[in-house]
Amino acid sequence: MSSTSRARRVRRIAAVAAYGGGGVGLLGGMAVGVLLTEARLARRTVGWWEEEPPFADGRYGSDFAADGARPLLLGVLGDSTAAGQGVALAGQTPGARLAQGLAAVAERPVDLVNVALPGARSDDLDRQAGMLLDRPGPPPDVVVVIVGANDVTDRVPPARSVRLLADAVRRLRAAGCEVVVGTCPDLGSVEPVHQPLRWVARRLSRQLAAAQTVAVVEQGGRTVSLGSLLGPEFTANPAELFGPDNYHPSAEGYATAATAVLPTLCAALGLWPEDERPEAARREGILPVEQAAVQAAAEGGTEVTPAPPTSTGRPPARWALLKFRRRRRLPEETGPEETGPGGVRGATEGEVEGEAAGDPGGRSGTGTVIAGPPD
């Protein structure tokens, strides 16, 4: 299928989603039968992580509080990948890595609130968004959403998935939040998945990721492709980047994803020292949003954001900026911290605010922050 055909299909899914329609079929009955057979075989091989994700809510970068700056509030929504399923320590979760990286770039404390739920699909995003927005105090400054894998495996019609995501982004944007969506990962990279399921999973994942991008950008949010970022790298090194269940990322895998998302997170808040204009030498450009979405779905770490304003002050309608932001490492690695009165209290060894978090067991740890501003 050509890139033009893929772009048309993505636009069709996004249009159906916008008007409240159902799904757009991809596979015939025979193909579905093969897919389900292969899926059953894969499930026998893929392990299941029984433990809850570590509780990582709390304050990061408290050392930056000396100048009295108000802490930034980072919210995280989505599924098991957003929650950090598969790692043992709080600091290894993607939310913790992003919070510590954001604190280092902003030189301000960051309070993390993660309401992501393992197993969640896009139909849970409205509830999760409500948990963030109904909390006492101001809404989050920025919200990261990672969702889509369970929509694919549970065969949710893509137009429905996209519509639900768009509704959540619209609600968050209306509350004043910046929104960054890590689009559907490439399920074809899961090691126990074999052909033809691998091909189907990859195609479905990329199709949904591209349609998610169109919907998010049209609501004023930004997306980062996690698809092929977690594809070739994970396929080439599954022992390191997949966790014990052979399905969720390992600590190193989450670090890879966080490296890609952090620059866009910072750019959404005006903290990243890069021009928002495209750099032709880096293959960046302003494209019709569906074409930018298709290209991003095929190349991991690609950001898609609404096109910058023109000379008339208005961004081109239905166009988007395709950008590859530079990534660097940060030297420190820390977990959530204790805070002073009135602050969000971080998880410590054996003691967290379990009731407020819905996690009475409470876990803690440290992690590695793996992204930072460009040189």
Side-chain angles (χ1 to χ4, degrees):
M1 183 183 292
S2 68
S3 59
T4 301
S5 298
R6 287 193 292 270
R8 288 174 181 161
R9 184 172 190 85
V10 166
R11 168 54 63 185
R12 182 184 171 201
I13 293 172
V16 171
Y19 288 101
V24 178
L26 174 65
L27 303 175
M30 182 178 296
V32 169
V34 173
L35 174 62
L36 293 177
T37 299
E38 290 290 335
R40 283 193 292 269
L41 292 174
R43 286 199 174 200
R44 294 176 187 173
T45 307
V46 174
W48 300 106
W49 188 264
E50 300 292 340
E51 297 182 15
E52 292 293 319
F55 177 70
D57 287 17
R59 179 157 296 174
Y60 294 76
S62 293
D63 291 345
F64 297 114
D67 60 1
R70 178 186 69 84
L72 293 170
L73 180 57
L74 167 63
V76 178
L77 307 181
D79 54 24
S80 56
T81 300
Q85 187 94 44
V87 296
L89 302 177
Q92 296 172 337
T93 64
R97 295 179 183 277
L98 290 172
Q100 184 64 31
L102 180 58
V105 175
E107 297 187 344
R108 291 169 63 180
V110 173
D111 291 338
L112 170 66
V113 180
N114 191 331
V115 297
L117 180 69
R121 303 179 305 197
S122 297
D123 56 11
D124 194 48
L125 290 178
D126 184 66
R127 181 191 67 83
Q128 294 182 25
M131 292 178 66
L132 281 183
L133 298 178
D134 294 341
R135 297 172 65 258
D141 296 280
V142 63
V143 176
V144 174
V145 184
I146 302 176
V147 74
N150 295 318
D151 294 75
V152 173
T153 57
D154 292 347
R155 299 174 61 196
V156 177
R160 173 173 168 77
S161 298
V162 171
R163 183 174 70 254
L164 292 166
L165 174 60
D167 290 345
V169 174
R170 185 184 306 112
R171 182 179 179 185
L172 293 165
R173 293 286 295 150
C177 308
E178 297 293 337
V179 180
V180 176
V181 175
T183 55
C184 182
D186 180 4
L187 297 179
S189 65
V190 178
E191 191 178 25
V193 176
H194 303 292
Q195 299 291 10
L197 178 59
R198 182 183 295 274
W199 177 86
V200 173
R202 173 159 289 130
R203 185 172 179 184
L204 288 172
S205 302
R206 289 188 177 183
Q207 177 181 268
L208 180 58
Q212 287 176 324
T213 296
V214 173
V216 170
V217 170
E218 290 183 343
Q219 297 302 322
R222 302 178 184 231
T223 65
V224 179
S225 171
L226 300 183
S228 61
L229 176 78
L230 305 187
E233 292 185 30
F234 274 50
T235 301
N237 196 6
E240 181 178 348
L241 297 181
F242 278 115
D245 62 359
N246 292 321
Y247 184 81
H248 293 96
S250 65
E252 291 78 10
Y254 282 125
T256 300
T259 304
V261 174
L262 180 61
T264 299
L265 186 70
C266 295
L269 295 171
L271 301 172
W272 206 248
E274 283 189 43
D275 192 347
E276 291 296 288
R277 301 287 173 174
E279 298 181 36
R282 304 186 70 213
R283 298 181 294 112
E284 299 175 346
I286 297 176
L287 305 170
V289 63
E290 57 270 20
Q291 292 184 19
V294 168
Q295 184 171 334
E299 186 163 359
T302 308
E303 176 186 326
V304 181
T305 189
T310 63
S311 57
T312 63
R314 295 181 179 179
R318 294 175 62 174
W319 287 66
L321 170 62
L322 186 78
K323 196 162 183 66
F324 304 93
R325 295 197 182 272
R326 297 175 177 86
R327 297 175 247 161
R328 295 291 185 271
R329 289 182 176 268
L330 292 177
E332 301 295 332
E333 55 178 66
T334 64
E337 307 149 1
E338 290 282 0
T339 66
V344 175
R345 189 181 179 195
T348 58
E349 187 64 31
E351 184 181 27
V352 297
E353 289 185 301
E355 289 186 18
D359 183 342
R363 289 156 294 276
S364 66
T366 59
T368 305
V369 180
I370 39 64
D375 292 337

